[in-house]
Amino acid sequence: ITVVLLWRSHEEVTTSDETERDDWVAVRLGRDQKEYVDHRGVHVVVGHYMGEANNLQNPPNLTEELLNSNMFDPRPNQGKDGQPVVIPSHELLKMQQLFHINRFNLMASDRIPLNRSLPDVRKKRCQSKSVNLTGLPAATVIIVFHNEAWSTLLRTVHSVVNRSPRSLLQEVLLVDDASTRAFLKEPLDQHVAMLPVPTRVLRTHERVGLVRARLLGAREARGQILTFLDAHCECTVGWLESLISRVAEDRTRVVCPVIDIINDDSFAYVRSFELHWGAFNWELHFRWYTLGGGEIKRRKQDITEPFRTPAMAGGLFAMDKDYFFEIGAYDEQMEIWGGENLELSFRVWQCGGSVEIAPCSHVGHLFRKSSPYTFPGGVGEVLYSNLARVALVWMDDWKEFYFKFNPAAARLRDRQSVRSRLELRERLQCKSFEWYLDNVWPQHFMPKDDRFFGKIRSRESGRCLQKPVGKGSINQPVGSATVVTCTAEPNLLQMFVMSPSGVIMTDESVCLDAPERDDSARQPKVRIMACSGTGRQKWSYSEQTFALRHASSGLCLSTGPDEALILQACSGHIGQQWQLESVPWK
Ligand code: UD2
Ligand code: MN
């Protein structure tokens, strides 16, 4: 095992798996700096990284004039081939001020030409396997935006125009969701009128949020295929044909590209992983997880073959236009941002379609650490109302689980009227959420009647097993498992699921893990690690002796020094006795 120590900003990030590191993607920043990206899109900087745009000491003075002016100022070769932009040090203060307008490095973006080149990041096999375009339907590309920057919005459009086969691109529709910036009005209309592909700007009369803005675009679309993009993307060669050919073969497929990363600071184009699929955590937040075991094996035969995903990230996908409306388009009562990606994913899967990722289609997306726009009604209200709707309509018994452990959403539950969506589900005769979990995401960590769900309490101290707290929202909570004071419910940190196959897992797809054998004289440490499906994460429980026996070593889970957990030869000792305390979840 190689342990690699890397630094991301001021956090330490560790990985113990060489193969995982192989999969990380490096972008050279300078002579002794390297930037990696892990599978969740987290940037990891090795060495020393100067000049982060997002650390302004004083509040930025953002005047109306500044917000309304278009500062696009392209310089030849900046950002070429997806390279990072270099800002000279005397401009760093200005750069930091501008960062706050869109929550990305606007100055860097504004220096990159609209038609910058990007590397062909596809696997070799994708590059040599050409898609036959004859007879393929054409797409309307729909891009909704609210107060997007000129350079990111138009680089999205230009990358679509430049890197899509002309016969597959019917038109581009931009939907302006009540932006307030002057440059997004007439100047935008004039700019798109000159493009070689029919491009229109539609405008909402008031802020309607991304769902209703996309619906407006979808209703106006003339292409047979709808292809949605966020307003800060860059498409790479081959992106569209790989999506459309799959939909053309089967109109019930919803096909997503691999989402690469445009760095919010340097605007470097960073290739992302192909071995991850989308799902969610106990709070219904979207997450990337390692592909399920079967899928990895199946993919080995042909790495260009698209693979199924339990959920989509939301912004980037292609689907048949008629199928989009047949299956219920979007839930029009979802506001502003959030939840619509899970709603569409559950609906498509449960109502007979499928969601997949096409590894030969790569589109870069600018991932931000915070959201730049206003959320009328408050961000929590908006997001949790949307998620409450997802749960109420699609999740059957698991909605009770969601509301029980997510009081922020539970408070908004009674305000939702979901009758028309339930009618839709009835009309389409959609399958149950249990079917979805069993068939689409068998590796899920949700509670179920066939498995234990609850607390794991030490009979020695009365304390509870707890997973480590995740570092930030996109890091998996991996690290040492601890035994700490049990807290009053609901506390997701102390909840565990033990599956019929003996995997003790919890939120975010992490599992109770210990080394295969006790090679060293020391007692092996028990940790919480990404679920791997291997023997080192299998346990058996005895209701007679209260022992939790580790399958591959035959040792027993024991309380160790301080709050730690260790493996020891099974002795029946009180430190090896665990109470599996079921917690009702529905
Ligand atoms: C992700 C998705 C995004 C959407 C969101 C959940 C990707 C890459 N992005 O978040 O598409 O599914 O999850 O809802 O998968 N917008 C409006 N009006 C609004 C708010 C946003 O038009 O009131 C636009 C915005 O300008 C952007 C798009 O909607 O073009 C998505 O918003 P985002 O980029 O803030 O979402 P993101 O990428 O954080
Ligand atoms: Mn986005």
Side-chain angles (χ1 to χ4, degrees):
I1 292 176
T2 311
V3 176
V4 192
L5 260 188
L6 306 165
W7 289 262
R8 173 190 166 233
S9 304
H10 305 290
E11 267 172 45
E12 245 178 34
V13 182
T14 60
T15 172
S16 57
D17 187 341
E18 185 64 28
T19 57
E20 190 181 344
R21 193 196 152 206
D22 280 349
D23 224 341
W24 291 22
V25 183
V27 200
R28 208 174 298 276
L29 285 182
R31 206 174 304 141
D32 48 18
Q33 293 168 4
K34 254 193 189 161
E35 187 185 53
Y36 292 83
V37 62
D38 79 2
H39 60 276
R40 261 149 255 278
V42 177
H43 281 78
V44 181
V45 177
V46 185
H48 204 61
Y49 184 29
M50 310 252 297
E52 280 212 333
N54 186 20
N55 58 8
L56 189 62
Q57 301 299 317
N58 302 311
N61 180 19
L62 302 178
T63 59
E64 279 302 304
E65 196 197 340
L66 192 65
L67 292 173
N68 279 304
S69 59
N70 179 4
M71 287 162 285
F72 180 51
D73 180 18
R75 316 274 169 98
N77 293 330
Q78 278 281 36
K80 188 178 166 216
D81 293 331
Q83 295 289 316
V85 171
V86 181
I87 305 280
S89 55
H90 69 271
E91 292 177 291
L92 291 186
L93 272 180
K94 183 79 183 166
M95 172 183 87
Q96 290 180 343
Q97 183 196 17
L98 296 179
F99 190 98
H100 290 266
I101 300 178
N102 304 88
R103 306 289 163 81
F104 57 69
N105 192 341
L106 179 61
M107 180 182 271
S109 178
D110 278 347
R111 289 183 182 195
I112 304 173
L114 296 181
N115 63 354
R116 79 149 150 182
S117 53
L118 291 178
D120 185 348
V121 291
R122 295 171 300 171
K123 288 254 157 66
K124 287 261 151 47
R125 298 256 310 255
C126 294
Q127 299 183 19
S128 54
K129 180 176 150 184
S130 73
V131 177
N132 183 4
L133 303 182
T134 45
L136 284 187
T140 294
V141 173
I142 298 171
I143 301 166
V144 304
F145 63 92
H146 174 73
N147 284 346
E148 188 65 47
W150 176 271
S151 51
T152 43
L153 175 64
L154 285 161
R155 214 160 27 247
T156 309
V157 176
H158 282 251
S159 77
V160 168
V161 170
N162 292 342
R163 299 201 188 90
S164 306
R166 188 60 189 84
S167 67
L168 296 190
L169 184 58
Q170 177 128 3
E171 60 180 343
V172 178
L173 287 185
L174 301 180
V175 186
D176 171 7
D177 185 11
S179 298
T180 54
R181 312 271 149 88
F183 59 82
L184 292 173
K185 304 299 167 185
E186 249 182 80
L188 183 62
D189 294 335
Q190 283 166 10
H191 184 95
V192 303
M194 299 180 325
L195 291 169
V197 171
T199 305
R200 286 181 285 155
V201 187
L202 310 172
R203 293 197 162 83
T204 63
H205 297 296
E206 52 173 356
R207 178 91 178 275
V208 297
L210 70 90
V211 159
R212 292 199 290 274
R214 281 183 195 163
L215 281 170
L216 175 64
R219 291 192 186 106
E220 287 282 321
R222 295 173 187 147
Q224 190 187 321
I225 308 285
L226 302 177
T227 302
F228 295 95
L229 293 178
D230 274 9
H232 32 257
C233 291
E234 290 179 60
C235 306
T236 69
V237 58
W239 78 285
L240 188 59
E241 42 273 53
S242 306
L243 301 178
I244 290 185
S245 60
R246 290 296 288 185
V247 183
E249 269 171 41
D250 177 348
R251 65 193 288 271
T252 69
R253 283 181 188 147
V254 176
V255 191
C256 310
V258 174
I259 307 181
D260 290 329
I261 293 123
I262 302 170
N263 185 296
D264 60 340
D265 202 349
S266 70
F267 273 73
Y269 189 100
V270 184
R271 187 182 189 278
S272 183
F273 292 87
E274 290 176 1
L275 286 182
H276 290 88
W277 68 8
F280 48 91
N281 65 9
W282 281 345
E283 294 170 273
L284 289 184
H285 294 151
F286 178 82
R287 288 288 187 271
W288 296 107
Y289 298 123
T290 307
L291 269 186
E295 283 289 353
I296 290 194
K297 273 200 210 99
R298 213 175 57 78
R299 255 180 64 80
K300 284 227 166 95
Q301 282 147 31
D302 182 1
I303 49 165
T304 67
E305 192 64 16
F307 52 88
R308 295 147 46 113
T309 176
M312 64 155 88
L316 288 52
F317 64 95
M319 79 188 277
D320 182 89
K321 180 181 166 180
D322 296 331
Y323 186 61
F324 176 77
F325 286 107
E326 273 166 43
I327 202 161
Y330 270 126
D331 178 350
E332 284 195 65
Q333 294 186 64
M334 286 198 172
E335 308 289 338
I336 306 296
W337 185 97
E340 94 294 340
N341 55 328
L342 289 189
E343 198 272 342
L344 182 60
S345 305
F346 294 168
R347 178 155 45 84
V348 165
W349 275 118
Q350 288 174 240
C351 308
S354 63
V355 185
E356 59 178 48
I357 295 173
C360 293
S361 175
H362 277 252
V363 177
H365 170 261
L366 180 67
F367 285 93
R368 291 180 275 210
K369 294 173 189 82
S370 61
S371 188
Y373 28 73
T374 57
F375 280 72
V379 57
E381 289 289 274
V382 167
L383 178 61
Y384 287 108
S385 293
N386 293 347
L387 291 175
R389 300 183 67 79
V390 177
L392 286 167
V393 177
W394 297 104
M395 292 177 67
D396 304 330
D397 284 347
W398 284 267
K399 66 176 175 289
E400 303 304 339
F401 167 72
Y402 178 65
F403 290 128
K404 187 162 181 187
F405 289 95
N406 293 278
R411 272 196 293 278
L412 301 161
R413 174 180 188 163
D414 293 338
R415 278 191 234 162
Q416 309 304 322
S417 129
V418 291
R419 200 175 40 103
S420 66
R421 298 308 280 180
L422 287 171
E423 278 167 15
L424 171 82
R425 180 172 168 175
E426 189 60 40
R427 191 167 70 243
L428 296 173
Q429 300 196 350
C430 307
K431 297 191 185 88
S432 67
F433 197 69
E434 182 169 22
W435 175 89
Y436 168 85
L437 290 177
D438 288 345
N439 293 279
V440 182
W441 191 20
Q443 303 79 0
H444 74 86
F445 42 80
M446 303 297 274
K448 257 194 81 160
D449 288 344
D450 67 351
R451 60 198 65 189
F452 165 78
F453 171 75
K455 296 178 175 180
I456 301 179
R457 191 192 286 267
S458 160
R459 284 174 46 98
E460 180 182 42
S461 61
R463 292 170 164 222
C464 286
L465 195 64
Q466 178 163 306
K467 72 171 177 182
V469 185
K471 285 192 207 149
S473 61
I474 34 184
N475 281 342
Q476 255 179 333
V478 297
S480 298
T482 53
V483 186
V484 299
T485 309
C486 303
T487 54
E489 287 161 64
N491 181 358
L492 288 175
L493 291 177
Q494 295 185 352
M495 296 296 160
F496 290 86
V497 166
M498 185 165 180
S499 77
S501 63
V503 179
I504 298 178
M505 52 196 175
T506 170
D507 201 12
E508 311 276 359
S509 201
V510 292
C511 285
L512 197 66
D513 175 289
E516 297 272 341
R517 279 172 295 121
D518 182 21
D519 280 340
S520 62
R522 297 203 334 245
Q523 289 141 337
K525 261 200 134 181
V526 179
R527 295 165 62 82
I528 300 280
M529 300 294 282
C531 298
S532 63
T534 57
R536 54 183 288 153
Q537 295 182 351
K538 297 250 165 77
W539 305 81
S540 58
Y541 180 65
S542 161
E543 282 175 11
Q544 281 73 49
T545 62
F546 304 105
L548 269 168
R549 183 190 283 261
H550 183 232
S552 57
S553 67
L555 302 175
C556 278
L557 185 71
S558 318
T559 47
D562 303 323
E563 297 175 336
L565 282 166
I566 52 172
L567 286 185
Q568 274 180 343
C570 301
S571 66
H573 173 257
I574 184 92
Q576 296 183 352
Q577 295 183 12
W578 302 93
Q579 197 79 48
L580 263 53
E581 267 180 35
S582 286
V583 170
W585 57 272
K586 60 180 183 194

